[in-house]
Amino acid sequence: VKGVGRRPVLRRVVRLFLNIFPEDVPGISREDMEETFLDGYEDARSRTRFLAVELAALFRHGLGERWESLEAPRPLAGLTDDIRFALKSLLKQPLFTAGAVLMLALGLGVNTGAFSMTMGMSRIADRFRDPEELVFLWGVEEGWDRAAVSAPHYFAWRDESTAFQSTAAYREMDRYISGDGDPQRIRTAAVTPGIFQLLGLSPEAGRLFAEADAAPDAPPVAAVSWRLWQERYGGEDSVLGTTLMLNDVAHTIVGILPKTVDFEMFWRGVGVIVPLSLSQGDTNWSAQSYRVVARLAPEATVQQAGTQIAAITQRLAQAHPEANGHLRSRVEPFQDFFFGGDNKLAMAGILMAVLAILLIACVNLAKILMAKGAARQGEVAIRLALGASRARVVRQLVTESLVLALAGGAAGVYLGQLGVELLLSTMPSAPFLLEEAGLDFTLLAYTFAVSVVAAMAFGLTPALLTSRMSLGEGVKETSPGASAGRKRKRLRDWMLVSQLAVTVPLVLTCGVSFLNLRALQSIDFGFPVEGLLTAQVDLPTHRYPDQESQSRFYRELLETLRTTPGITAVGAGIYVPIGAVGGAAYAPLVVDGREAADGSARGPRGYRAITPEYFQALGVGLLAGREFTYDDTPETLPVAVVNEAFAQTYWPDDNPVGRLIRPETDPSRLYSGYELTVTQPITVVGVVQDFGATFYGDPPGPELYLSQNQHPFSSLFVVLRSEGDPLALVPAVREGVARIDEAVPITSVRTGERMVDDWLQESRGIGAMLGVLAILALGMAVLGLYGMVAHSVAQRTFELGVRMVLGARGRAIQASVMRSFLLLAAVGVAIGIGVGALLGLVVRSFLVLLQVPWIPMVLGVSGLMMGVVALAAWVPARRATTIQPVVALKTQ
Amino acid sequence: MSDQPDPQDFLPLRPVEFEILLALAGGEAHGYAIIKEAETRARGMFRLETGALYRGLRRLTTSGLIRPTEKRPAPDADDQRRSYYAITELGRMVAVAEARRLRAQVEAARARELLADAKGGGS
């Protein structure tokens, strides 16, 4: 029995197997194969055997065919034609092409930018030889997990552990260059000679240190950093062998450090390197000033090293409890030090943001391609009808997407690099990143991969949708009035929702962070920043060895300046409360009557030394008692001024003036290795108002000020308040210092406003980046949303016209169109706010911000998105319902 | 179409493809007819599975050695679902070239006395 009706079940099975085969070649049909199979089955002697053998063969050959259809070089044969055709068709629609390329370029640009920054940061450690073996050995103390250690610690770690091939130590200190040119205070590092070998560094020129250079009687030698070599010596090789006066000691310059490491770690800001001579017999446990680096032995792990070092440290603590009872230890790989925790988190956040932008870009691109695909259905249908295979048509469409993607990718790489350069130019502390963040193969591969994936995912879908339809459908769909296919509509709905779900949290997060950083610009320091000038003065300690000479210098300087016209008040201190410049001196103290309390409730752990008129020069008001005067001398009663917060913390109900603060006497509360600068009880003589500001907007904490006259420091910030432009006073300050001692350097002179700028510089860079991301995301989303909604409503002009003809009211139609889109938009916005809230929690946990009003922000962004969707639906709907129905129907 | 491909370029043919060409050299046929013909010729020593046939037809069609034909040799004998195939001019030349190649091999085998006691066992 032959015919179409025979053996329907078997026919189904066979058909299933035949589906494994790829497309039919014209002229060969699966139908013929079905019949052939059934013929064979009916004629077979053993039908079971026939089925087993034949179905297996169908399966095998089907897969084989499919494989060949992928592998055959033939599908690539027409590639150049495809590309030519793609270019032609893209150029025929320049607006579409420009839009698509721009969309991709923006999405990919922020991606390559962020990716190259991340790569750059993650690659810093790679500047050393085999960086995965390199570790830091840190001391760990309360509140400080990267503490320097003493020389005996270093020796014990080096000699008693087996986990390291080699270890080295270094210490940083400021020294003074003199002799040629202006006196200069400079950061220097003393290193054990083996450190270069350990890190795998070779000199740019000259030589680095040998063990002999560290011998106590060796002639003093120095190496200079690449930057100092460029800036001070003009990059001339002739500097080798010349003499450098370092703290008035002549050092011979023997080498120049390689440029590649002129950054970070101890090289950051370090200009001169000298050999460190450490004696094995050094038993000074309290001089905790050495940092230790090591290279792991071939088989050793970081954990093993950590365990060994911890055991050694513990043994030392038991053997010498008086010196280092608090000290614990920790081993940190270089990679973590240069690109660890916070960096990773911040970078992950940025990467997430840029990926979200890419997603928005891709969704927009997909919409453009779909709209274009819809417009080209006629063309596709005709090509299919003329005998082009579906694969051929899809391939053509995919080629177009790829050409677009590559153009977008190239433009994106360019934009990204431009962005990185702009961004890094706002971050002066990270110039090395520029080099690291450069173009390289990984970056290009990443961009290429992302653009191709984007083009495939978002170009192929519309292409498949376009080509999958039957000819009849294609002809139908060329008439724009027909409602889009169901699949297409569902896809569009999903795109609308997902775009909002991605955009809303992105805009919210970036926007909130941006506004928060903006808010810092107008932060209130509690005193007027305008009219303030600060100058950092460094007394070379070899010229001013004792407190008396230091005190005398500053008194003389301040008295000279006070008589200068234009200066209304002048003081000095170890600290300027703008961006926490300078610092505090360590001194564990006990507030009278608080002896029983624990920790910080017991008393402050440090103080800031200031001169008379410091508060006046800053513009901070005195609330009670008096300021310091020059009558407060080392011989008179030790005095203190506290701020309001201090008074509130320790004496909430009493008058602080006249109360006592004593030095801590409990040895368990003292850190080892610090010389105590407060040895007598101090009497509070005044209270000033709170001032200063932190990055996170925290209220000022308790502050204790002691008299510089009674607790002198060699390096102070001179603070001047001027009547007019503070910069006009700069020459007077320089002259004043030079008149007393020409060898005293002024390291930095800055106005109050400049200090605010400098403080906020990095955060401003980040803020600008977030702002750009937010605006970019918002702009792309608004355009994309509008385009998508308006396009799909406009396509329904015919349908809406029909409804008008059937007697529906224009307003009712408009409302119903808008309703359907607003519903989708509401879902998207709701998901977006949910995601945004989650992101906000994460952001808040590592950036204590969100001081900005975020509720209006959420409402604003949601409102804007809904508004755009509503407008995009309303405009074409109104057009469709207000034109003559006849015209609407003619759009068919 | 202007420059004729060299039949040698298609050699050697896969056994299935040669079988199909041999079958079609005798006249146009549909899928199952080709299988029957091949099986008959091979006297049960060779089986042509539907999948292999499909694949072979596809290859030969793509490379232009056979072509589907609209002609229905027996219009009322069968339904519309079947396709018929015919060998092309090129296909015939390739089949001849393949046959010659095989003959040369068989002669070589005979010269090595591989076929000494199997007279007429070759094609």
Side-chain angles (χ1 to χ4, degrees):
Chain A
V1 186
K2 297 201 173 182
V4 198
R6 65 174 170 161
R7 304 201 178 275
V9 179
L10 180 58
R11 193 182 282 278
R12 249 161 210 270
V13 174
V14 174
R15 206 171 283 172
L16 201 67
F17 275 76
L18 282 170
N19 274 338
I20 300 171
F21 285 80
E23 318 261 317
D24 285 341
V25 170
I28 302 183
S29 71
R30 291 169 206 217
E31 292 170 351
D32 181 38
M33 287 306 123
E34 275 174 37
E35 299 308 319
T36 307
F37 190 98
L38 293 181
D39 287 346
Y41 175 73
E42 280 162 6
D43 291 354
R45 247 170 297 162
S46 158
R47 292 186 168 180
T48 326
R49 201 181 129 72
F50 178 88
L51 276 188
V53 172
E54 286 280 317
L55 288 180
L58 270 188
F59 184 74
R60 199 174 67 238
H61 287 291
L63 286 187
E65 275 289 82
R66 214 162 250 284
W67 176 247
E68 267 175 47
S69 71
L70 292 176
E71 286 295 282
R74 218 167 284 127
L76 290 178
L79 193 63
T80 43
D81 286 344
D82 276 355
I83 291 175
R84 200 171 307 131
F85 187 83
L87 283 175
K88 223 191 278 177
S89 94
L90 289 175
L91 289 179
K92 243 189 278 174
Q93 294 161 290
L95 217 61
F96 153 79
T97 307
V101 168
L102 184 71
M103 203 50 84
L104 259 179
L106 288 176
L108 287 169
V110 294
N111 260 273
T112 53
F115 186 76
S116 74
M117 290 279 289
T118 314
M119 291 292 294
M121 291 186 73
S122 69
R123 263 203 304 258
I124 294 171
D126 294 352
R127 296 187 162 205
F128 303 102
R129 178 170 55 86
D130 300 332
E132 65 285 349
E133 292 175 356
L134 292 172
V135 292
F136 282 98
L137 310 184
W138 298 116
V140 176
E141 281 184 291
E142 185 196 334
W144 186 227
D145 64 354
R146 281 177 183 155
V149 297
S150 70
H153 269 108
Y154 164 61
F155 286 122
W157 285 353
R158 186 188 71 178
D159 299 337
E160 293 176 31
S161 66
T162 56
F164 308 112
Q165 303 175 28
S166 54
T167 48
Y170 66 95
R171 78 181 284 201
E172 291 173 62
M173 55 168 58
D174 286 1
R175 295 180 212 228
Y176 299 85
I177 300 184
S178 55
D180 49 346
D182 288 336
Q184 192 178 354
R185 176 164 128 159
I186 197 159
R187 198 83 185 139
T188 67
V191 303
T192 56
I195 200 168
F196 299 112
Q197 170 82 32
L198 185 153
L199 295 173
L201 299 180
S202 41
E204 177 84 25
R207 66 173 180 93
L208 298 175
F209 307 139
E211 285 298 335
D213 291 320
D217 52 350
V221 293
V224 298
S225 75
W226 193 86
R227 189 180 300 182
L228 190 80
W229 181 49
Q230 292 293 319
E231 287 172 0
R232 196 174 170 100
Y233 302 105
E236 297 286 341
D237 280 349
S238 59
V239 71
L240 293 174
T242 62
T243 301
L244 172 77
M245 295 300 287
L246 211 55
N247 278 9
D248 292 345
V249 176
H251 287 67
T252 307
I253 299 178
V254 295
I256 291 141
L257 251 59
K259 183 187 182 185
T260 45
V261 294
D262 202 1
F263 67 94
E264 279 297 348
M265 210 167 74
F266 54 94
W267 322 105
R268 174 187 259 183
V270 164
V272 180
I273 321 274
V274 295
L276 172 64
S277 108
L278 278 179
S279 129
Q280 189 87 37
D282 190 337
T283 51
N284 184 356
W285 293 96
S286 55
Q288 294 187 185
S289 47
Y290 302 101
R291 291 155 207 273
V292 183
V293 292
R295 182 174 285 279
L296 290 173
E299 299 296 316
T301 66
V302 173
Q303 282 77 11
Q304 286 167 0
T307 317
Q308 283 190 10
I309 294 298
I312 297 166
T313 312
Q314 200 176 1
R315 189 188 65 69
L316 292 177
Q318 281 156 5
H320 306 270
E322 77 288 354
N324 47 30
H326 301 290
L327 197 78
R328 284 168 291 117
S329 68
R330 172 168 98 91
V331 174
E332 182 178 36
F334 265 38
Q335 184 63 38
D336 291 358
F337 177 76
F338 291 119
F339 188 63
D342 288 357
N343 289 336
K344 275 186 193 153
L345 206 58
M347 275 304 170
I350 289 174
L351 280 183
M352 260 165 60
V354 298
L355 278 178
I357 288 190
L358 182 64
L359 194 60
I360 296 175
C362 284
V363 170
N364 282 347
L365 182 68
K367 282 180 308 208
I368 298 177
L369 288 174
M370 275 177 69
K372 188 169 175 263
R376 288 180 61 180
Q377 278 173 8
E379 174 202 325
V380 169
I382 290 166
R383 288 178 61 187
L384 286 174
L386 287 178
S389 72
R390 229 185 77 198
R392 197 71 190 69
V393 170
V394 169
R395 199 175 100 187
Q396 177 57 45
L397 294 174
V398 166
T399 308
E400 275 189 41
S401 308
L402 271 181
V403 169
L404 269 184
L406 292 182
V413 167
Y414 177 73
L415 278 184
Q417 291 302 306
L418 208 66
V420 168
E421 273 171 44
L422 274 176
L423 181 67
L424 289 183
S425 67
T426 68
M427 297 168 83
S429 70
F432 61 90
L433 261 181
L434 199 55
E435 243 167 88
E436 290 293 348
L439 269 184
D440 70 353
F441 178 75
T442 327
L443 176 64
L444 287 178
Y446 169 83
T447 310
F448 181 76
V450 172
S451 24
V452 168
V453 167
M456 284 298 121
F458 296 94
L460 200 56
T461 318
L464 285 178
L465 280 178
T466 306
S467 69
R468 194 176 284 276
M469 62 196 183
S470 69
L471 292 189
E473 238 180 290
V475 176
K476 250 190 290 167
E477 294 225 0
T478 43
S479 50
S483 270
R486 208 175 230 181
K487 253 186 215 158
R488 189 185 298 279
K489 183 178 175 310
R490 204 178 307 144
L491 184 69
R492 198 148 45 204
D493 289 354
W494 266 111
M495 276 168 34
L496 181 71
V497 171
S498 62
Q499 175 149 30
L500 283 166
V502 170
T503 314
V504 168
L506 181 66
V507 173
L508 283 181
T509 313
C510 291
V512 165
S513 311
F514 174 67
L515 287 184
N516 183 67
L517 292 171
R518 283 288 306 226
L520 282 176
Q521 309 276 347
S522 51
I523 204 159
D524 182 14
F525 288 93
F527 55 86
V529 170
E530 302 77 23
L532 204 64
L533 186 73
T534 67
Q536 189 181 6
V537 177
D538 277 305
L539 297 181
T541 40
H542 59 283
R543 295 178 76 94
Y544 297 85
D546 54 32
Q547 302 199 329
E548 203 228 323
S549 59
Q550 293 170 4
S551 217
R552 197 175 46 233
F553 174 89
Y554 280 111
R555 184 167 182 179
E556 200 177 329
L557 174 64
L558 295 181
E559 272 166 6
T560 311
L561 292 175
R562 188 168 300 113
T563 57
T564 308
I567 295 180
T568 56
V570 56
I574 61 172
Y575 168 77
V576 179
I578 303 176
V581 170
Y586 172 72
L589 299 168
V590 182
V591 171
D592 218 13
R594 289 283 184 146
E595 285 83 354
D598 265 350
S600 61
R602 205 172 145 89
R605 300 191 69 77
Y607 65 91
R608 308 193 196 276
I610 57 165
T611 68
E613 248 185 74
Y614 175 81
F615 295 122
Q616 221 177 310
L618 274 182
V620 173
L622 191 67
L623 297 176
R626 66 170 176 92
E627 270 199 62
F628 301 133
T629 70
Y630 285 104
D631 295 332
D632 300 314
T633 67
E635 286 72 41
T636 62
L637 179 77
V639 289
V641 172
V642 299
N643 70 349
E644 242 180 310
F646 191 103
Q648 279 297 322
T649 307
Y650 295 107
W651 305 290
D653 306 316
D654 290 331
N655 182 5
V657 177
R659 304 295 295 255
L660 279 183
I661 301 170
R662 301 173 196 281
E664 179 68 79
T665 49
D666 180 350
S668 73
R669 294 178 189 278
L670 298 175
Y671 284 157
S672 56
Y674 289 93
E675 193 188 341
L676 293 179
T677 50
V678 178
T679 50
Q680 293 172 22
I682 317 157
T683 307
V684 175
V685 294
V687 180
V688 289
Q689 68 183 72
D690 288 340
F691 61 92
T694 69
F695 200 75
Y696 305 123
D698 305 328
E703 294 281 2
L704 173 70
Y705 299 92
L706 300 187
S707 160
Q708 140 82 9
N709 232 14
Q710 294 175 336
H711 305 275
F713 283 80
S714 62
S715 171
L716 290 187
F717 293 91
V718 176
V719 180
L720 305 114
R721 179 140 308 268
S722 95
E723 278 173 339
D725 180 8
L727 282 176
L729 298 175
V730 175
V733 175
R734 291 199 182 279
E735 216 171 284
V737 171
R739 203 181 302 152
I740 303 171
D741 186 348
E742 286 201 331
V744 171
I746 296 178
T747 33
S748 79
V749 182
R750 291 189 289 173
T751 64
E753 282 138 319
R754 174 70 195 282
M755 293 184 77
V756 176
D757 275 358
D758 289 351
W759 177 46
L760 294 177
Q761 194 157 37
E762 280 194 17
S763 64
R764 192 176 299 146
I766 295 168
M769 181 163 68
L770 291 171
V772 166
L773 289 184
I775 289 168
L776 201 61
L778 193 64
M780 280 163 63
V782 164
L783 284 178
L785 275 180
Y786 190 94
M788 174 166 63
V789 174
H791 180 252
S792 52
V793 175
Q795 282 207 318
R796 287 170 59 188
T797 303
F798 174 75
E799 175 209 324
L800 300 182
V802 170
R803 283 162 71 177
M804 288 296 285
V805 171
L806 292 179
R809 290 199 11 251
R811 270 177 201 288
I813 292 178
Q814 290 166 26
S816 93
V817 170
M818 283 168 67
R819 204 179 306 127
S820 67
F821 279 102
L822 282 177
L823 195 70
L824 284 176
V827 173
V829 167
I831 297 174
I833 291 176
V835 175
L838 284 178
L839 277 181
L841 288 179
V842 176
V843 168
R844 204 189 311 220
S845 68
F846 71 94
L847 261 186
V848 191
L849 27 88
L850 303 181
Q851 307 278 328
V852 286
W854 58 273
I855 292 180
M857 179 110 187
V858 169
L859 292 178
V861 170
S862 321
L864 178 65
M865 293 295 168
M866 301 289 281
V868 166
V869 170
L871 189 71
W874 179 68
V875 170
R878 198 184 92 92
R879 196 185 142 272
T881 51
T882 48
I883 53 175
Q884 289 284 321
V886 181
V887 180
L889 295 183
K890 271 195 182 152
T891 62
Q892 178 62 297
Chain B
M1 304 281 170
S2 52
D3 49 346
Q4 186 77 8
D6 184 352
Q8 293 295 330
D9 292 347
F10 296 89
L11 303 190
L13 289 175
R14 289 179 175 81
V16 173
E17 292 167 22
F18 191 49
E19 287 291 348
I20 296 171
L21 288 183
L22 283 180
L24 293 181
E28 298 177 8
H30 60 64
Y32 190 58
I34 298 175
I35 290 181
K36 285 307 271 187
E37 145 110 45
E39 277 182 12
T40 315
R41 189 156 12 85
R43 289 181 220 121
M45 288 171 64
F46 178 83
R47 261 193 55 83
L48 187 52
E49 297 132 345
T50 316
L53 173 75
Y54 190 6
R55 219 173 161 186
L57 288 174
R58 200 272 300 154
R59 284 204 183 107
L60 292 171
T61 314
T62 319
S63 47
L65 303 190
I66 63 171
R67 64 185 161 79
T69 159
E70 290 303 309
K71 261 195 278 177
R72 303 279 165 187
D76 44 10
D78 222 326
D79 59 80
Q80 286 286 313
R81 298 169 58 82
R82 294 190 190 277
S83 308
Y84 283 78
Y85 308 92
I87 192 164
T88 62
E89 196 57 37
L90 175 64
R92 195 170 289 278
M93 286 159 70
V94 171
V96 168
E98 175 73 358
R100 282 191 183 134
R101 188 183 68 83
L102 289 174
R103 187 176 61 194
Q105 286 186 339
V106 170
E107 278 165 5
R110 199 164 273 149
R112 300 282 185 284
E113 302 193 332
L114 291 175
L115 291 175
D117 54 350
K119 237 200 241 165
S123 64

